[in-house]
Amino acid sequence: MTVASLALPVVAAAMFLGTGWLAAGLVLSAWLKLAAVRPVLARHAPLVSALPWLAAAAVALAAVVPGDPHMGSMFACHCLESMPAWVHLCPVHPEEAAMLVLPALIVLVALLPGRLRALMDLASEPVGHGGGDQPRVVSLGTPMALLHGWLRPTLVVDQDLWAALSEAERAAVLAHERGHLRRRDPLVRMVLRGALMLAPRSLARQVVRGWLDHAELAADAEAARRLADPTLVAQTLLRCARLGARPPGLALAWTGGRLERRVRALVQGQPSATPAHPDVGWRELGVLTGLASLALAATPWVHHQVEHLLNLAL
Amino acid sequence: MSRSPVLERRVLDALWQGGQWSVRDVMGAVDPELAYTTFATVLDRLNAKGEVDREKVDGSWRYTAARSREEALAAEVGRVLQRAEGAPDPLLVAFLDQVEAADPDGLDRLEALIRARRECP
């Protein structure tokens, strides 16, 4: 195996990570601004976060799939005759891609460790102990209720918090957490974090934070619908705040989200008539499949454009 | 998937029922289709993590859960919370929320809002 033949995979990997990182930076920055104006958009965070993967895949694929389909053969050289001085990425002339190995390595060194860290964080997420919507009352040392685990979530409530709450307040806490379960929020949160692996870390955290706020509001709304009493849910939130319940970072928890915003939404809004549903469903998967097909169909065009950009840059 | 955390959790689910378990007992309770060596490896790893204790009885290992499900759950949640708070960005957000939640005037104001809604639905 020659250095030249190794060049293309290295260049393709760098293009994947570089394009994903850049696309995530652009798409998510713009989307966060939009979501700040229209908070309802926060529910589309998983879908939007997946878009940079499509851009990255299209560009990386363009590096290994020849650009001109009119040449007949997949591995025919499509561009040497017309553009002999170009840097080409096709598998038929990897020595050209070798020119890009150094910048590609720089991109990989800059981006790969952060992505690997994100992957390890994701892999270390607990799967949960199961147990459905029945609470497990344990000593957490801090008054909180939360869903633990992404695959088999467990509804965990601190025993001191549990003891301090009335029956009605316990029902409100449970209805909220069951709202998360109904929306499959633990799993969607994991999908979202996976989709954000390519993104700059600070942006990723903002997107997760924004989606969690939306998820808490949606779980509150579901609890209000189930109990037919939004003020009970709001009152229980305040009760927990007075007991010293604190929000646990980026987890799905009764006390997460912005307290004032949640109480106002409950008090000023009308209980929803329809049950909550997950933020990722067939519609989102359909949109992604459509966009992926478009990206695949556009590969030859992207190939040419990538080579254009490379030759402008070099 | 056979050595995934999911399988570890299923093995622990079995051990949390109580008593001493051989590898074959665990295999029978969790998934008899999987290989014996898979369960031996999982139990070995759980032992190394301190999640299960083992002792030799009649020449073969017998396993027990090192702590109850509730203790394990509380420890696991504690670790997750600690990790979440160790991260700079979420801590900042959590701190703002915490200040908001701890502000008695703010809570009184929200309480009044709820009372008003109850009085005039």
mmCIF file of all heavy atoms in Angstrom, chain A residues 124-126 128-129 136 139 144 148 152 205 209 231 235 238 242 246-248 257-259 267 269, chain B residues 6 9 13 16 69 73-74 76 81 83 85 87 89-90 93 97 100 107-108 111 113-114 117-118:
data_model
loop_
_atom_site.group_PDB
_atom_site.id
_atom_site.type_symbol
_atom_site.label_atom_id
_atom_site.label_comp_id
_atom_site.label_asym_id
_atom_site.label_seq_id
_atom_site.Cartn_x
_atom_site.Cartn_y
_atom_site.Cartn_z
ATOM 1 N N SER A 124 -20.596 6.439 27.345
ATOM 2 C CA SER A 124 -20.626 6.213 28.795
ATOM 3 C C SER A 124 -21.973 6.596 29.413
ATOM 4 O O SER A 124 -22.149 6.492 30.620
ATOM 5 C CB SER A 124 -19.507 7.005 29.470
ATOM 6 O OG SER A 124 -19.758 8.387 29.331
ATOM 7 N N GLU A 125 -22.912 7.047 28.587
ATOM 8 C CA GLU A 125 -24.244 7.379 29.115
ATOM 9 C C GLU A 125 -24.902 6.113 29.650
ATOM 10 O O GLU A 125 -24.965 5.101 28.945
ATOM 11 C CB GLU A 125 -25.122 7.945 28.001
ATOM 12 C CG GLU A 125 -24.927 9.417 27.750
ATOM 13 C CD GLU A 125 -25.660 10.277 28.764
ATOM 14 O OE1 GLU A 125 -26.827 10.006 29.041
ATOM 15 O OE2 GLU A 125 -25.038 11.226 29.262
ATOM 16 N N PRO A 126 -25.426 6.149 30.861
ATOM 17 C CA PRO A 126 -26.048 4.931 31.395
ATOM 18 C C PRO A 126 -27.305 4.561 30.622
ATOM 19 O O PRO A 126 -28.040 5.442 30.166
ATOM 20 C CB PRO A 126 -26.384 5.314 32.835
ATOM 21 C CG PRO A 126 -26.324 6.787 32.889
ATOM 22 C CD PRO A 126 -25.431 7.263 31.802
ATOM 23 N N GLY A 128 -29.802 2.886 31.881
ATOM 24 C CA GLY A 128 -30.949 2.940 32.790
ATOM 25 C C GLY A 128 -31.284 1.564 33.339
ATOM 26 O O GLY A 128 -30.786 0.548 32.859
ATOM 27 N N HIS A 129 -32.140 1.555 34.342
ATOM 28 C CA HIS A 129 -32.498 0.301 35.007
ATOM 29 C C HIS A 129 -33.894 -0.159 34.634
ATOM 30 O O HIS A 129 -34.407 -1.106 35.206
ATOM 31 C CB HIS A 129 -32.440 0.483 36.529
ATOM 32 C CG HIS A 129 -31.052 0.649 37.065
ATOM 33 N ND1 HIS A 129 -30.514 -0.166 38.013
ATOM 34 C CD2 HIS A 129 -30.085 1.549 36.768
ATOM 35 C CE1 HIS A 129 -29.281 0.212 38.292
ATOM 36 N NE2 HIS A 129 -28.998 1.268 37.549
ATOM 37 N N ARG A 136 -38.701 5.052 41.460
ATOM 38 C CA ARG A 136 -37.809 4.395 42.421
ATOM 39 C C ARG A 136 -37.321 5.486 43.370
ATOM 40 O O ARG A 136 -36.652 6.422 42.941
ATOM 41 C CB ARG A 136 -36.624 3.761 41.703
ATOM 42 C CG ARG A 136 -37.006 2.527 40.947
ATOM 43 C CD ARG A 136 -35.776 1.757 40.508
ATOM 44 N NE ARG A 136 -36.123 0.764 39.521
ATOM 45 C CZ ARG A 136 -36.642 -0.428 39.807
ATOM 46 N NH1 ARG A 136 -36.859 -0.748 41.052
ATOM 47 N NH2 ARG A 136 -36.942 -1.289 38.850
ATOM 48 N N SER A 139 -32.045 7.532 47.958
ATOM 49 C CA SER A 139 -31.395 8.686 48.584
ATOM 50 C C SER A 139 -30.377 9.271 47.609
ATOM 51 O O SER A 139 -29.367 8.636 47.315
ATOM 52 C CB SER A 139 -30.705 8.253 49.870
ATOM 53 O OG SER A 139 -29.959 9.342 50.366
ATOM 54 N N MET A 144 -34.377 15.964 44.169
ATOM 55 C CA MET A 144 -34.692 16.046 42.742
ATOM 56 C C MET A 144 -35.394 14.783 42.255
ATOM 57 O O MET A 144 -35.331 13.730 42.878
ATOM 58 C CB MET A 144 -33.439 16.317 41.917
ATOM 59 C CG MET A 144 -32.362 15.289 42.036
ATOM 60 S SD MET A 144 -31.053 15.563 40.832
ATOM 61 C CE MET A 144 -30.584 17.232 41.173
ATOM 62 N N HIS A 148 -33.459 8.594 34.604
ATOM 63 C CA HIS A 148 -32.070 8.157 34.516
ATOM 64 C C HIS A 148 -31.969 7.076 33.445
ATOM 65 O O HIS A 148 -32.709 6.080 33.495
ATOM 66 C CB HIS A 148 -31.647 7.615 35.881
ATOM 67 C CG HIS A 148 -30.303 6.980 35.875
ATOM 68 N ND1 HIS A 148 -29.149 7.714 35.710
ATOM 69 C CD2 HIS A 148 -29.912 5.691 35.983
ATOM 70 C CE1 HIS A 148 -28.114 6.894 35.747
ATOM 71 N NE2 HIS A 148 -28.552 5.665 35.897
ATOM 72 N N ARG A 152 -33.392 2.308 28.748
ATOM 73 C CA ARG A 152 -34.408 1.781 29.658
ATOM 74 C C ARG A 152 -34.524 2.779 30.814
ATOM 75 O O ARG A 152 -33.997 2.534 31.905
ATOM 76 C CB ARG A 152 -33.978 0.417 30.177
ATOM 77 C CG ARG A 152 -33.774 -0.623 29.060
ATOM 78 C CD ARG A 152 -33.078 -1.850 29.613
ATOM 79 N NE ARG A 152 -33.909 -2.522 30.596
ATOM 80 C CZ ARG A 152 -33.415 -3.209 31.645
ATOM 81 N NH1 ARG A 152 -32.126 -3.298 31.832
ATOM 82 N NH2 ARG A 152 -34.219 -3.801 32.490
ATOM 83 N N ARG A 205 -23.852 22.329 23.063
ATOM 84 C CA ARG A 205 -24.453 22.462 24.393
ATOM 85 C C ARG A 205 -25.637 23.433 24.370
ATOM 86 O O ARG A 205 -26.647 23.213 25.032
ATOM 87 C CB ARG A 205 -23.413 22.950 25.395
ATOM 88 C CG ARG A 205 -22.449 21.877 25.786
ATOM 89 C CD ARG A 205 -21.788 22.196 27.109
ATOM 90 N NE ARG A 205 -20.840 21.164 27.468
ATOM 91 C CZ ARG A 205 -21.180 20.013 28.042
ATOM 92 N NH1 ARG A 205 -22.426 19.770 28.336
ATOM 93 N NH2 ARG A 205 -20.266 19.122 28.331
ATOM 94 N N ARG A 209 -29.311 22.405 25.395
ATOM 95 C CA ARG A 209 -29.964 23.193 26.446
ATOM 96 C C ARG A 209 -31.331 23.718 25.975
ATOM 97 O O ARG A 209 -32.332 23.635 26.680
ATOM 98 C CB ARG A 209 -29.039 24.347 26.838
ATOM 99 C CG ARG A 209 -29.516 25.272 27.907
ATOM 100 C CD ARG A 209 -29.366 24.673 29.267
ATOM 101 N NE ARG A 209 -30.647 24.205 29.758
ATOM 102 C CZ ARG A 209 -30.842 23.650 30.955
ATOM 103 N NH1 ARG A 209 -29.833 23.451 31.755
ATOM 104 N NH2 ARG A 209 -32.018 23.276 31.349
ATOM 105 N N THR A 231 -52.300 24.678 37.358
ATOM 106 C CA THR A 231 -51.789 25.405 38.533
ATOM 107 C C THR A 231 -51.178 24.437 39.553
ATOM 108 O O THR A 231 -50.266 24.810 40.284
ATOM 109 C CB THR A 231 -52.900 26.240 39.212
ATOM 110 O OG1 THR A 231 -53.980 25.378 39.547
ATOM 111 C CG2 THR A 231 -53.363 27.352 38.305
ATOM 112 N N GLN A 235 -47.621 25.016 40.906
ATOM 113 C CA GLN A 235 -47.456 25.114 42.361
ATOM 114 C C GLN A 235 -46.393 24.120 42.849
ATOM 115 O O GLN A 235 -45.556 24.439 43.696
ATOM 116 C CB GLN A 235 -48.809 24.802 43.023
ATOM 117 C CG GLN A 235 -48.848 25.027 44.518
ATOM 118 C CD GLN A 235 -48.719 26.504 44.873
ATOM 119 O OE1 GLN A 235 -49.464 27.329 44.340
ATOM 120 N NE2 GLN A 235 -47.768 26.840 45.725
ATOM 121 N N LEU A 238 -42.911 25.340 42.184
ATOM 122 C CA LEU A 238 -42.454 26.323 43.177
ATOM 123 C C LEU A 238 -42.117 25.642 44.502
ATOM 124 O O LEU A 238 -41.156 25.996 45.172
ATOM 125 C CB LEU A 238 -43.547 27.369 43.405
ATOM 126 C CG LEU A 238 -43.809 28.337 42.262
ATOM 127 C CD1 LEU A 238 -44.727 29.457 42.712
ATOM 128 C CD2 LEU A 238 -42.508 28.940 41.736
ATOM 129 N N ARG A 242 -38.621 25.824 46.457
ATOM 130 C CA ARG A 242 -38.457 26.240 47.852
ATOM 131 C C ARG A 242 -37.756 25.158 48.679
ATOM 132 O O ARG A 242 -37.087 25.459 49.664
ATOM 133 C CB ARG A 242 -39.826 26.559 48.473
ATOM 134 C CG ARG A 242 -40.445 27.853 47.961
ATOM 135 C CD ARG A 242 -41.602 28.281 48.842
ATOM 136 N NE ARG A 242 -42.440 29.267 48.190
ATOM 137 C CZ ARG A 242 -42.164 30.565 48.130
ATOM 138 N NH1 ARG A 242 -41.047 31.025 48.665
ATOM 139 N NH2 ARG A 242 -42.990 31.402 47.529
ATOM 140 N N ARG A 246 -32.588 21.468 42.681
ATOM 141 C CA ARG A 246 -31.741 22.192 41.737
ATOM 142 C C ARG A 246 -31.683 21.459 40.408
ATOM 143 O O ARG A 246 -31.822 20.241 40.365
ATOM 144 C CB ARG A 246 -30.342 22.396 42.308
ATOM 145 C CG ARG A 246 -29.642 21.124 42.566
ATOM 146 C CD ARG A 246 -28.579 21.288 43.619
ATOM 147 N NE ARG A 246 -27.980 19.995 43.864
ATOM 148 C CZ ARG A 246 -26.921 19.541 43.243
ATOM 149 N NH1 ARG A 246 -26.312 20.274 42.356
ATOM 150 N NH2 ARG A 246 -26.442 18.352 43.506
ATOM 151 N N PRO A 247 -31.481 22.213 39.347
ATOM 152 C CA PRO A 247 -31.438 21.570 38.038
ATOM 153 C C PRO A 247 -30.104 20.870 37.814
ATOM 154 O O PRO A 247 -29.049 21.441 38.050
ATOM 155 C CB PRO A 247 -31.594 22.742 37.070
ATOM 156 C CG PRO A 247 -31.201 23.946 37.840
ATOM 157 C CD PRO A 247 -31.299 23.648 39.284
ATOM 158 N N PRO A 248 -30.126 19.623 37.383
ATOM 159 C CA PRO A 248 -28.890 18.847 37.267
ATOM 160 C C PRO A 248 -28.248 18.939 35.893
ATOM 161 O O PRO A 248 -28.204 17.963 35.154
ATOM 162 C CB PRO A 248 -29.376 17.436 37.540
ATOM 163 C CG PRO A 248 -30.775 17.436 37.014
ATOM 164 C CD PRO A 248 -31.299 18.825 37.097
ATOM 165 N N GLY A 257 -34.807 23.304 33.255
ATOM 166 C CA GLY A 257 -35.507 24.350 32.511
ATOM 167 C C GLY A 257 -35.609 25.635 33.312
ATOM 168 O O GLY A 257 -35.231 25.707 34.466
ATOM 169 N N ARG A 258 -36.112 26.659 32.646
ATOM 170 C CA ARG A 258 -36.236 27.947 33.312
ATOM 171 C C ARG A 258 -37.522 27.980 34.136
ATOM 172 O O ARG A 258 -38.618 27.871 33.592
ATOM 173 C CB ARG A 258 -36.249 29.057 32.282
ATOM 174 C CG ARG A 258 -35.152 28.989 31.248
ATOM 175 C CD ARG A 258 -33.809 29.324 31.877
ATOM 176 N NE ARG A 258 -32.845 29.690 30.857
ATOM 177 C CZ ARG A 258 -32.093 28.797 30.208
ATOM 178 N NH1 ARG A 258 -32.213 27.512 30.475
ATOM 179 N NH2 ARG A 258 -31.227 29.208 29.307
ATOM 180 N N LEU A 259 -37.356 28.141 35.438
ATOM 181 C CA LEU A 259 -38.502 28.036 36.347
ATOM 182 C C LEU A 259 -39.604 29.048 36.008
ATOM 183 O O LEU A 259 -40.776 28.696 35.864
ATOM 184 C CB LEU A 259 -38.023 28.238 37.778
ATOM 185 C CG LEU A 259 -39.110 28.144 38.822
ATOM 186 C CD1 LEU A 259 -39.615 26.722 38.935
ATOM 187 C CD2 LEU A 259 -38.608 28.624 40.178
ATOM 188 N N VAL A 267 -49.404 28.767 33.847
ATOM 189 C CA VAL A 267 -50.461 29.620 34.394
ATOM 190 C C VAL A 267 -51.185 30.377 33.291
ATOM 191 O O VAL A 267 -52.407 30.544 33.334
ATOM 192 C CB VAL A 267 -49.852 30.594 35.434
ATOM 193 C CG1 VAL A 267 -50.859 31.641 35.859
ATOM 194 C CG2 VAL A 267 -49.369 29.814 36.642
ATOM 195 N N GLY A 269 -51.082 29.626 29.906
ATOM 196 C CA GLY A 269 -51.526 28.849 28.746
ATOM 197 C C GLY A 269 -52.792 28.069 29.044
ATOM 198 O O GLY A 269 -53.260 28.024 30.175
ATOM 199 N N VAL B 6 -26.022 -3.118 27.987
ATOM 200 C CA VAL B 6 -27.388 -3.636 28.133
ATOM 201 C C VAL B 6 -27.339 -5.048 28.720
ATOM 202 O O VAL B 6 -28.105 -5.394 29.623
ATOM 203 C CB VAL B 6 -28.119 -3.645 26.775
ATOM 204 C CG1 VAL B 6 -29.512 -4.231 26.922
ATOM 205 C CG2 VAL B 6 -28.192 -2.239 26.211
ATOM 206 N N ARG B 9 -26.457 -4.937 32.329
ATOM 207 C CA ARG B 9 -27.614 -4.550 33.149
ATOM 208 C C ARG B 9 -28.575 -5.716 33.321
ATOM 209 O O ARG B 9 -29.130 -5.930 34.397
ATOM 210 C CB ARG B 9 -28.299 -3.341 32.486
ATOM 211 C CG ARG B 9 -29.516 -2.797 33.207
ATOM 212 C CD ARG B 9 -29.296 -2.508 34.666
ATOM 213 N NE ARG B 9 -28.040 -1.880 34.999
ATOM 214 C CZ ARG B 9 -27.757 -0.587 34.820
ATOM 215 N NH1 ARG B 9 -28.645 0.222 34.329
ATOM 216 N NH2 ARG B 9 -26.584 -0.095 35.144
ATOM 217 N N ASP B 13 -29.755 -7.332 36.723
ATOM 218 C CA ASP B 13 -31.182 -7.508 37.032
ATOM 219 C C ASP B 13 -31.420 -8.892 37.639
ATOM 220 O O ASP B 13 -32.191 -9.045 38.583
ATOM 221 C CB ASP B 13 -32.036 -7.362 35.767
ATOM 222 C CG ASP B 13 -32.284 -5.902 35.411
ATOM 223 O OD1 ASP B 13 -32.118 -5.041 36.303
ATOM 224 O OD2 ASP B 13 -32.625 -5.616 34.247
ATOM 225 N N TRP B 16 -29.852 -9.126 41.154
ATOM 226 C CA TRP B 16 -30.579 -8.333 42.159
ATOM 227 C C TRP B 16 -31.790 -9.070 42.717
ATOM 228 O O TRP B 16 -32.379 -8.645 43.700
ATOM 229 C CB TRP B 16 -31.007 -6.980 41.558
ATOM 230 C CG TRP B 16 -29.901 -5.969 41.600
ATOM 231 C CD1 TRP B 16 -28.955 -5.818 42.576
ATOM 232 C CD2 TRP B 16 -29.616 -4.965 40.620
ATOM 233 N NE1 TRP B 16 -28.100 -4.792 42.251
ATOM 234 C CE2 TRP B 16 -28.486 -4.250 41.062
ATOM 235 C CE3 TRP B 16 -30.202 -4.595 39.413
ATOM 236 C CZ2 TRP B 16 -27.938 -3.190 40.352
ATOM 237 C CZ3 TRP B 16 -29.663 -3.541 38.697
ATOM 238 C CH2 TRP B 16 -28.536 -2.843 39.167
ATOM 239 N N ARG B 69 -30.165 -2.908 44.249
ATOM 240 C CA ARG B 69 -30.492 -2.127 43.051
ATOM 241 C C ARG B 69 -30.599 -0.632 43.403
ATOM 242 O O ARG B 69 -30.106 0.218 42.672
ATOM 243 C CB ARG B 69 -31.819 -2.611 42.472
ATOM 244 C CG ARG B 69 -32.216 -1.892 41.197
ATOM 245 C CD ARG B 69 -33.662 -2.133 40.878
ATOM 246 N NE ARG B 69 -33.951 -3.478 40.450
ATOM 247 C CZ ARG B 69 -33.845 -3.902 39.178
ATOM 248 N NH1 ARG B 69 -33.449 -3.076 38.254
ATOM 249 N NH2 ARG B 69 -34.145 -5.132 38.867
ATOM 250 N N LEU B 73 -28.393 2.276 41.871
ATOM 251 C CA LEU B 73 -29.056 3.341 41.126
ATOM 252 C C LEU B 73 -28.655 4.714 41.676
ATOM 253 O O LEU B 73 -28.309 5.627 40.921
ATOM 254 C CB LEU B 73 -30.573 3.137 41.224
ATOM 255 C CG LEU B 73 -31.466 4.094 40.458
ATOM 256 C CD1 LEU B 73 -31.141 4.039 38.976
ATOM 257 C CD2 LEU B 73 -32.935 3.747 40.682
ATOM 258 N N ALA B 74 -28.695 4.835 43.022
ATOM 259 C CA ALA B 74 -28.342 6.119 43.636
ATOM 260 C C ALA B 74 -26.898 6.494 43.299
ATOM 261 O O ALA B 74 -26.605 7.650 42.976
ATOM 262 C CB ALA B 74 -28.537 6.035 45.145
ATOM 263 N N GLU B 76 -25.148 5.511 40.700
ATOM 264 C CA GLU B 76 -25.051 5.798 39.261
ATOM 265 C C GLU B 76 -25.582 7.201 38.954
ATOM 266 O O GLU B 76 -24.957 7.965 38.226
ATOM 267 C CB GLU B 76 -25.876 4.755 38.508
ATOM 268 C CG GLU B 76 -25.375 4.450 37.130
ATOM 269 C CD GLU B 76 -26.170 3.315 36.516
ATOM 270 O OE1 GLU B 76 -25.844 2.148 36.755
ATOM 271 O OE2 GLU B 76 -27.128 3.618 35.804
ATOM 272 N N LEU B 81 -24.810 13.063 37.826
ATOM 273 C CA LEU B 81 -25.012 14.460 38.241
ATOM 274 C C LEU B 81 -23.677 15.161 38.442
ATOM 275 O O LEU B 81 -23.495 16.316 38.045
ATOM 276 C CB LEU B 81 -25.829 14.519 39.532
ATOM 277 C CG LEU B 81 -27.262 14.004 39.424
ATOM 278 C CD1 LEU B 81 -27.943 14.031 40.776
ATOM 279 C CD2 LEU B 81 -28.054 14.833 38.421
ATOM 280 N N ARG B 83 -20.892 14.447 36.962
ATOM 281 C CA ARG B 83 -20.288 14.673 35.646
ATOM 282 C C ARG B 83 -20.949 15.863 34.952
ATOM 283 O O ARG B 83 -20.290 16.693 34.356
ATOM 284 C CB ARG B 83 -20.433 13.426 34.790
ATOM 285 C CG ARG B 83 -19.354 13.287 33.762
ATOM 286 C CD ARG B 83 -19.481 11.988 33.035
ATOM 287 N NE ARG B 83 -20.768 11.855 32.389
ATOM 288 C CZ ARG B 83 -21.285 10.709 31.963
ATOM 289 N NH1 ARG B 83 -20.641 9.606 32.155
ATOM 290 N NH2 ARG B 83 -22.444 10.671 31.354
ATOM 291 N N GLU B 85 -22.338 18.374 36.325
ATOM 292 C CA GLU B 85 -21.961 19.628 36.967
ATOM 293 C C GLU B 85 -20.497 19.971 36.738
ATOM 294 O O GLU B 85 -20.099 21.111 36.902
ATOM 295 C CB GLU B 85 -22.253 19.549 38.464
ATOM 296 C CG GLU B 85 -23.740 19.516 38.729
ATOM 297 C CD GLU B 85 -24.079 19.754 40.174
ATOM 298 O OE1 GLU B 85 -23.154 19.916 40.982
ATOM 299 O OE2 GLU B 85 -25.278 19.783 40.479
ATOM 300 N N ALA B 87 -19.081 19.900 33.912
ATOM 301 C CA ALA B 87 -18.927 20.525 32.600
ATOM 302 C C ALA B 87 -19.196 22.027 32.697
ATOM 303 O O ALA B 87 -20.148 22.430 33.361
ATOM 304 C CB ALA B 87 -19.905 19.882 31.627
ATOM 305 N N ASP B 89 -20.235 24.526 30.576
ATOM 306 C CA ASP B 89 -21.411 25.190 30.016
ATOM 307 C C ASP B 89 -22.700 24.897 30.778
ATOM 308 O O ASP B 89 -23.397 25.809 31.169
ATOM 309 C CB ASP B 89 -21.550 24.864 28.530
ATOM 310 C CG ASP B 89 -20.315 25.332 27.777
ATOM 311 O OD1 ASP B 89 -19.817 26.408 28.132
ATOM 312 O OD2 ASP B 89 -19.845 24.625 26.894
ATOM 313 N N PRO B 90 -23.003 23.590 31.020
ATOM 314 C CA PRO B 90 -24.252 23.335 31.724
ATOM 315 C C PRO B 90 -24.243 23.876 33.136
ATOM 316 O O PRO B 90 -25.277 24.259 33.655
ATOM 317 C CB PRO B 90 -24.370 21.814 31.746
ATOM 318 C CG PRO B 90 -23.019 21.309 31.434
ATOM 319 C CD PRO B 90 -22.354 22.352 30.612
ATOM 320 N N VAL B 93 -25.477 27.408 33.058
ATOM 321 C CA VAL B 93 -26.932 27.452 32.888
ATOM 322 C C VAL B 93 -27.615 27.016 34.174
ATOM 323 O O VAL B 93 -28.556 27.630 34.640
ATOM 324 C CB VAL B 93 -27.353 26.533 31.710
ATOM 325 C CG1 VAL B 93 -28.856 26.485 31.600
ATOM 326 C CG2 VAL B 93 -26.757 27.048 30.427
ATOM 327 N N ASP B 97 -30.288 29.028 36.724
ATOM 328 C CA ASP B 97 -31.572 28.450 37.148
ATOM 329 C C ASP B 97 -31.653 28.388 38.664
ATOM 330 O O ASP B 97 -32.677 28.644 39.258
ATOM 331 C CB ASP B 97 -31.722 27.036 36.598
ATOM 332 C CG ASP B 97 -32.153 27.072 35.143
ATOM 333 O OD1 ASP B 97 -32.304 28.183 34.612
ATOM 334 O OD2 ASP B 97 -32.302 26.010 34.564
ATOM 335 N N GLU B 100 -32.257 31.667 40.182
ATOM 336 C CA GLU B 100 -33.642 32.031 39.927
ATOM 337 C C GLU B 100 -34.562 31.304 40.919
ATOM 338 O O GLU B 100 -35.461 31.873 41.496
ATOM 339 C CB GLU B 100 -33.995 31.618 38.501
ATOM 340 C CG GLU B 100 -35.304 32.145 38.017
ATOM 341 C CD GLU B 100 -35.506 31.714 36.571
ATOM 342 O OE1 GLU B 100 -35.352 30.529 36.285
ATOM 343 O OE2 GLU B 100 -35.824 32.572 35.756
ATOM 344 N N LEU B 107 -39.938 33.778 43.706
ATOM 345 C CA LEU B 107 -40.881 32.679 43.982
ATOM 346 C C LEU B 107 -42.213 33.231 44.479
ATOM 347 O O LEU B 107 -43.284 32.752 44.089
ATOM 348 C CB LEU B 107 -40.282 31.726 45.018
ATOM 349 C CG LEU B 107 -39.041 30.944 44.583
ATOM 350 C CD1 LEU B 107 -38.552 30.030 45.699
ATOM 351 C CD2 LEU B 107 -39.317 30.123 43.343
ATOM 352 N N ASP B 108 -42.156 34.280 45.333
ATOM 353 C CA ASP B 108 -43.405 34.888 45.833
ATOM 354 C C ASP B 108 -44.213 35.468 44.677
ATOM 355 O O ASP B 108 -45.436 35.362 44.638
ATOM 356 C CB ASP B 108 -43.078 36.003 46.847
ATOM 357 C CG ASP B 108 -42.545 35.409 48.154
ATOM 358 O OD1 ASP B 108 -42.715 34.190 48.352
ATOM 359 O OD2 ASP B 108 -41.948 36.164 48.948
ATOM 360 N N GLU B 111 -45.803 32.721 42.865
ATOM 361 C CA GLU B 111 -46.888 32.186 43.708
ATOM 362 C C GLU B 111 -48.140 33.047 43.555
ATOM 363 O O GLU B 111 -49.258 32.518 43.439
ATOM 364 C CB GLU B 111 -46.420 32.209 45.171
ATOM 365 C CG GLU B 111 -47.205 31.309 46.081
ATOM 366 C CD GLU B 111 -46.471 30.008 46.387
ATOM 367 O OE1 GLU B 111 -45.296 30.088 46.776
ATOM 368 O OE2 GLU B 111 -47.096 28.956 46.201
ATOM 369 N N LEU B 113 -48.934 34.804 41.057
ATOM 370 C CA LEU B 113 -49.456 34.566 39.700
ATOM 371 C C LEU B 113 -50.357 33.325 39.694
ATOM 372 O O LEU B 113 -51.445 33.325 39.096
ATOM 373 C CB LEU B 113 -48.265 34.347 38.772
ATOM 374 C CG LEU B 113 -48.445 34.617 37.295
ATOM 375 C CD1 LEU B 113 -48.635 36.097 37.057
ATOM 376 C CD2 LEU B 113 -47.199 34.143 36.536
ATOM 377 N N ILE B 114 -49.916 32.300 40.394
ATOM 378 C CA ILE B 114 -50.700 31.054 40.450
ATOM 379 C C ILE B 114 -52.009 31.296 41.221
ATOM 380 O O ILE B 114 -53.079 30.846 40.812
ATOM 381 C CB ILE B 114 -49.884 29.930 41.119
ATOM 382 C CG1 ILE B 114 -48.659 29.598 40.258
ATOM 383 C CG2 ILE B 114 -50.730 28.683 41.324
ATOM 384 C CD1 ILE B 114 -47.662 28.676 40.921
ATOM 385 N N ARG B 117 -54.478 33.051 39.109
ATOM 386 C CA ARG B 117 -55.083 32.154 38.101
ATOM 387 C C ARG B 117 -56.149 31.264 38.752
ATOM 388 O O ARG B 117 -57.189 30.985 38.174
ATOM 389 C CB ARG B 117 -53.976 31.312 37.463
ATOM 390 C CG ARG B 117 -54.454 30.107 36.683
ATOM 391 C CD ARG B 117 -55.036 30.496 35.331
ATOM 392 N NE ARG B 117 -55.736 29.389 34.718
ATOM 393 C CZ ARG B 117 -55.312 28.685 33.672
ATOM 394 N NH1 ARG B 117 -54.190 29.026 33.098
ATOM 395 N NH2 ARG B 117 -56.001 27.715 33.181
ATOM 396 N N ARG B 118 -55.865 30.837 39.975
ATOM 397 C CA ARG B 118 -56.837 29.962 40.665
ATOM 398 C C ARG B 118 -58.116 30.729 41.006
ATOM 399 O O ARG B 118 -59.216 30.165 40.958
ATOM 400 C CB ARG B 118 -56.223 29.398 41.936
ATOM 401 C CG ARG B 118 -55.344 28.209 41.631
ATOM 402 C CD ARG B 118 -54.897 27.492 42.871
ATOM 403 N NE ARG B 118 -54.235 26.241 42.517
ATOM 404 C CZ ARG B 118 -53.236 25.711 43.172
ATOM 405 N NH1 ARG B 118 -52.763 26.317 44.256
ATOM 406 N NH2 ARG B 118 -52.715 24.572 42.786
#
